[in-house]
Amino acid sequence: MIRVELSYKPGFILCYVMSYEGKEFSGGITADYRFYVDENCPFKELMLRSIINKCMDTDFERFTALDEWGVPLEQFGFRKEDDVYAASAKDMKLPSPCKCGK
C-alpha cells in the first residue's frame, strides 16, 4: 500500500512523506518555494500531484521545479524559464491521466 501524508521537515514550507514497502520518501516545497522530491521516490508523479493539490488554492505567485519528476511539468501548468520550471498557484492544474476517448 502507498501512503502519502503531510509531515514536518525543517527548511520546508510544505512536506509530505510517502510510505511504500517499509520505506519512506519525502517531497514538498522548500523555503525558497521550490518543489522537491527524494531522488529515489518510486511514485514521483503521485508526490507531484499531492503537492500541487495543496498549492492550487493558495495565492502564491511563483513556485519553481526542476525536471526531476519523470513527467512533463507543462501538463501541470508549469512553464520553462531558463534552467527551471515555474508556475503560480492559479496556473497549476491536475490533468487526468485517463486516455478515455482518445
Side-chain angles (χ1 to χ4, degrees), residues 51-93:
I51 298 166
I52 289 174
N53 186 56
K54 199 70 167 170
C55 294
M56 289 173 68
D57 293 327
T58 69
D59 294 327
F60 291 106
E61 291 295 320
R62 183 175 165 83
F63 294 98
T64 61
L66 300 176
D67 187 15
E68 61 188 350
W69 296 89
V71 293
L73 292 173
E74 294 90 348
Q75 71 183 1
F76 295 92
F78 285 84
R79 64 196 172 284
K80 184 80 165 136
E81 290 184 1
D82 298 320
D83 60 342
V84 299
Y85 289 83
S88 68
K90 67 180 179 191
D91 293 331
M92 290 182 184
K93 54 189 171 188

Side-chain angles (χ1 to χ4, degrees), residues 8-59:
Y8 171 78
K9 187 173 182 177
F12 283 69
I13 59 171
L14 175 69
C15 182
Y16 279 104
V17 172
M18 176 185 288
S19 302
Y20 177 68
E21 293 186 345
K23 297 178 183 171
E24 291 189 342
F25 308 92
S26 64
I29 301 173
T30 63
D32 60 352
Y33 298 93
R34 184 177 63 83
F35 277 45
Y36 167 82
V37 65
D38 281 340
E39 181 180 317
N40 296 322
C41 180
F43 301 100
K44 290 181 180 179
E45 183 176 350
L46 175 59
M47 183 68 79
L48 177 66
R49 287 177 174 275
S50 299
I51 298 166
I52 289 174
N53 186 56
K54 199 70 167 170
C55 294
M56 289 173 68
D57 293 327
T58 69
D59 294 327

